[in-house]
């Protein structure tokens, strides 16, 4: 078995302490990047070393083979699978891997320890198993153990590291969040604590919002490998069509996508043959793709779902400086950054209070930069992205009897940046048949001034210039289409 990292070793130490205190149902919080599979294998091996049997439960049949392969890679080979017609079925093996769905239709296996993966999903089957076997130890594993009432079934929360800890130690990627558009959720109802899917899909499928999602990615996405989270299948397919219409090769995943199709899509994504993958709630767990940009087009009130989604972009990778989050849902503005979401205890169904007996203060929401839509932490004055800092003066000033609104200072660009853009635009003139006038007007669209005192030297444009050019072309095409519609209507 691979050596454990410091936070994994600390989790094992705290787990042993919890069990020694008499707790039978501890919950281990293991955020994205913690190495939950290795942690689960280490706990399993710890039980095997004592001569005990282990049952490891997963939330879906599709994760059984993945778990078995991961355990075998760590040297745990005495494994059986509880699943009809599975070639790995072996009731005599000391380690059994089963899906919760399979267990709901069978008798619970004889075992000395149960490890429940993704325990925040709070399956009734697991709770029934607990109730029928009060002396049998259960260990829950979850990145987000904050489900309401989970503390009625588990008796201890073990936090060896948080998302913020893992980012600080370099095990997770830093991230930037932009809120380019704000959906109108007026009239969207709430069901089971989150937005009603049918209402939400209608609100998020408005053509202008969908166009903004695509054009923003073209402008800000830096051509990064991207996951996009949609509301439902219709919304996801609509987004896929819009991305492909804009020239971005796009994949699609939902609950009905086969394992082979997912594997092929993962390979295409890794190889760069697919730039954007739009999905409907199926890539929130068990995915270790190299995601460098994430589009949140699915508003949620759930801290659990929000954290699971953002976690897909936080894995580190070679050459990855940070993750880019394009939040078109206002979820970050409502819930805060994922690094701000933290709970010290399991939820027992009662109103949460701090250790002093007073209700815990809510986390201050981030603020949107009015210049570039970057979300900055509360209390940060100057925008870390564009440098814009609101003037701390009166909002109006008197000039000859008239009131004039005071605006922030415009964003400035150095000459090297302007030269890079001008040279990139001249490349389009030399290689794509564009006119010099087109290059000059595109430059003015970007910088607000005409290109002056710059060298006429064409170089191949970078992703930022290409995306801006594509964004402008899409905007022009849509304007032409609108004019034609108006002409026909007249």
């Amino acid at each position: 078995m691979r050596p454990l990292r410091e936070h994994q070793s600390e989790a094992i130490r705290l787990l042993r302490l919890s069990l020694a205190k008499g707790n039978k149902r501890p919950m281990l919080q293991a955020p994205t990047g913690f190495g939950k599979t290795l942690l689960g294998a280490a706990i399993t091996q710890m039980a095997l070393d004592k001569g005990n049997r282990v049952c490891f439960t997963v939330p879906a049949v599709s994760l059984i083979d993945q778990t078995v392969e991961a355990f075998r890679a760590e040297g745990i080979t005495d494994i059986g699978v509880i699943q009809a017609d599975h070639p790995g079925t072996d009731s005599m093996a000391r380690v059994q891997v089963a899906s919760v769905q399979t267990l709901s239709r069978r008798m619970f296996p004889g075992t000395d320890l149960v490890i429940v993966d993704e325990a925040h999903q709070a399956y009734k089957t697991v709770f029934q198993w607990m109730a029928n076997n009060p002396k049998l130890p259960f260990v829950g594993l979850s990145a987000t153990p904050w489900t309401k009432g989970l503390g009625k079934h588990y008796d201890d929360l073990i936090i060896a590291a948080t998302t913020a800890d893992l980012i600080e130690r370099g095990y997770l990627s830093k991230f930037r969040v932009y809120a380019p558009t704000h959906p109108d959720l007026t009239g969207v109802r709430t069901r089971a604590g989150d937005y009603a899917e049918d209402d939400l899909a209608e609100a998020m499928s408005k053509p202008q919002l969908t166009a903004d999602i695509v054009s923003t990615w073209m402008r800000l996405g830096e051509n990064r490998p991207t996951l996009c989270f949609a509301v439902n299948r219709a919304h996801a397919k609509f987004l896929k069509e819009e991305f492909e219409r804009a020239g971005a090769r796009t994949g699609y995943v939902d609950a009905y996508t086969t394992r082979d199709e997912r594997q092929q899509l993962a390979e295409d994504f890794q190889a760069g043959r697919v730039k954007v993958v739009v999905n409907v709630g199926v890539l929130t767990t068990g995915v270790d793709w190299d995601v460098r940009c994430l589009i949140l087009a699915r508003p949620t009130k759930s801290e659990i779902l929000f954290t699971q989604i953002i976690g897909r972009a936080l894995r580190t990778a070679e050459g990855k400086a940070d993750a880019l989050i394009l939040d078109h849902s206002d979820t970050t503005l409502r819930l805060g950054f994922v690094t701000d979401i933290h709970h010290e205890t399991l939820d027992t169904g009662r109103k949460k209070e701090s250790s002093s007996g007073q209700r815990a203060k809510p986390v201050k929401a981030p603020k949107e930069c009015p210049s570039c839509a970057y979300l900055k932490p509360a209390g940060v004055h100057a925008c870390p992205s564009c440098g814009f800092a609101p003037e701390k003066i009166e909002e109006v000033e008197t000039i000859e009897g008239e009131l004039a609104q005071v605006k922030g200072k415009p964003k400035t660009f150095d000459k090297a940046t302007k030269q890079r853009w001008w040279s990139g635009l001249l490349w389009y003139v030399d290689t794509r048949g564009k006119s010099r006038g087109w290059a000059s007007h595109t430059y003015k669209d970007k910088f607000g001034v005409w290109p002056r005192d710059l060298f006429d030297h064409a170089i191949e444009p970078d992703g930022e210039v290409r995306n801006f050019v594509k964004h402008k072309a899409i905007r022009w095409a849509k304007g032409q289409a609108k004019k034609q519609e108006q002409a026909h209507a007249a």
Side-chain angles (χ1 to χ4, degrees):
M1 185 173 294
R2 288 174 292 164
L4 299 179
R5 293 172 173 173
E6 55 181 335
H7 54 276
Q8 295 165 336
S9 297
E10 177 66 3
I12 294 293
R13 186 186 73 83
L14 293 174
L15 175 61
R16 284 178 168 148
L17 283 175
S18 180
L19 294 171
K21 291 178 181 178
N23 294 315
K24 287 286 187 180
R25 311 284 162 81
M27 172 71 69
L28 265 169
Q29 180 174 310
T32 299
F34 192 96
K36 188 175 58 175
T37 301
L38 179 58
L39 179 63
I43 297 170
T44 299
Q45 188 61 59
M46 187 171 68
L48 293 175
D49 291 343
K50 293 183 179 180
N52 294 325
R53 299 164 297 168
V54 178
C55 182
F56 191 96
T57 74
V58 295
V61 172
S62 60
L63 296 176
I64 287 179
D65 290 342
Q66 180 178 317
T67 302
V68 171
E69 291 169 8
F71 274 30
R72 284 180 176 156
E74 301 301 335
I76 301 173
T77 57
D78 190 10
I79 304 176
V81 173
I82 303 176
Q83 182 186 345
D85 301 323
H86 194 285
T89 300
D90 181 1
S91 60
M92 300 303 293
R94 295 170 64 202
V95 178
Q96 297 291 324
V97 178
S99 72
V100 174
Q101 294 94 324
T102 301
L103 290 176
S104 67
R105 300 187 296 269
R106 297 186 177 210
M107 293 182 61
F108 299 124
T111 188
D112 302 302
L113 172 67
V114 180
I115 302 176
V116 184
D117 195 19
E118 305 296 346
H120 64 275
Q121 297 192 20
Y123 285 103
K124 291 181 180 179
T125 299
V126 173
F127 295 156
Q128 181 183 347
W129 195 358
M130 288 179 166
N132 293 344
N133 298 269
K135 294 184 179 180
L136 179 62
F138 283 74
V139 175
L141 299 178
S142 174
T144 54
W146 312 319
T147 307
K148 187 175 181 179
L150 203 60
K152 296 177 182 178
H153 305 279
Y154 292 89
D155 53 17
D156 191 19
L157 177 60
I158 299 171
I159 305 173
T162 64
T163 297
D165 294 333
L166 296 181
I167 290 175
E168 185 176 350
R169 298 178 194 179
Y171 294 123
L172 284 180
S173 171
K174 296 178 181 179
F175 62 92
R176 291 176 286 141
V177 184
Y178 290 85
T181 51
H182 305 286
D184 181 4
L185 301 182
T186 304
V188 176
R189 293 167 292 180
T190 298
R191 293 196 194 111
D194 206 351
Y195 294 111
E197 185 178 291
D198 50 351
D199 292 348
L200 193 60
E202 182 179 353
M204 296 301 293
S205 296
K206 294 177 181 178
Q208 183 58 50
L209 179 56
T210 303
D212 286 343
I213 289 171
V214 175
S215 62
T216 296
W217 184 81
M218 303 294 291
R219 181 167 51 89
L220 295 178
E222 302 173 2
N223 207 32
R224 296 182 178 210
T226 301
L227 279 190
C228 176
F229 286 83
V231 178
N232 60 13
R233 297 174 71 197
H235 183 222
K237 290 178 179 178
F238 184 37
L239 282 169
K240 178 181 184 296
E241 292 171 359
E242 289 297 305
F243 272 109
E244 290 191 328
R245 189 175 290 115
R249 188 174 177 191
T250 306
Y252 170 87
V253 181
D254 64 24
Y256 301 97
T257 306
T258 67
R259 183 180 179 185
D260 289 343
E261 289 171 332
R262 289 193 197 189
Q263 181 60 37
Q264 183 60 56
L265 183 57
E267 292 174 5
D268 290 342
F269 188 75
Q270 183 67 28
R273 294 187 290 270
V274 169
K275 275 297 180 185
V276 180
V277 174
V278 185
N279 87 103
V280 187
V282 296
L283 296 181
T284 55
T285 59
V287 178
D288 57 359
W289 297 2
D290 182 5
V291 178
R292 307 199 177 196
C293 177
L294 189 143
I295 300 172
L296 188 52
R298 191 253 188 261
T300 180
K301 293 182 177 181
S302 168
E303 291 180 335
I304 292 175
L305 179 58
F306 176 56
T307 303
Q308 294 279 356
I309 287 175
I310 300 300
R312 299 314 96 203
L314 298 186
R315 293 187 182 277
T316 58
E318 184 177 353
K320 180 179 178 179
D322 61 15
L324 180 63
I325 313 297
L326 304 179
D327 186 353
H328 293 267
S329 69
D330 276 354
T331 304
T332 307
L333 288 170
R334 281 191 301 272
L335 301 181
F337 297 116
V338 291
T339 46
D340 295 332
I341 299 174
H342 181 68
H343 301 273
E344 292 286 349
T345 59
L346 296 169
D347 187 293
T348 60
R350 307 190 197 102
K351 291 182 179 180
K352 294 183 180 180
E353 295 186 348
S354 66
S355 57
S356 64
Q358 302 295 321
R359 286 188 189 176
K361 294 181 180 179
V363 175
K364 289 185 178 180
K367 302 295 183 182
E368 179 184 351
C369 172
S371 176
C372 70
Y374 178 86
L375 297 190
K376 56 184 180 178
V380 174
H381 184 60
C383 177
S385 178
C386 70
F388 175 77
E391 294 289 340
K392 295 183 177 179
I393 57 176
E394 296 294 331
E395 294 188 2
V396 294
E397 60 183 11
T398 303
I399 304 176
E400 297 181 356
E402 296 182 359
L403 294 177
Q405 182 176 355
V406 176
K407 299 180 180 179
K409 296 179 181 178
K411 184 177 178 179
T412 59
F413 298 90
D414 57 35
K415 190 169 183 179
T417 299
K418 292 181 177 180
Q419 181 65 61
R420 173 171 59 84
W421 273 74
W422 179 238
S423 295
L425 294 172
L426 291 178
W427 179 88
Y428 283 93
V429 174
D430 290 351
T431 64
R432 296 294 188 267
K434 298 289 187 181
S435 69
R436 189 178 176 90
W438 170 89
S440 295
H441 279 87
T442 302
Y443 179 94
K444 191 171 188 294
D445 282 349
K446 171 64 180 176
F447 298 104
V449 295
W450 297 106
R452 293 190 179 92
D453 300 324
L454 300 173
F455 295 107
D456 287 345
H457 173 62
I459 60 172
E460 186 170 351
D462 58 17
E464 186 180 12
V465 177
R466 289 178 184 271
N467 287 341
F468 186 83
V469 170
K470 285 183 181 179
H471 170 67
K472 183 178 178 182
I474 292 170
R475 186 175 58 190
W476 180 85
K478 292 190 177 198
Q480 293 299 110
K482 189 173 182 180
K483 288 179 181 179
Q484 291 179 1
E485 290 177 3
Q486 291 173 344
H488 289 312

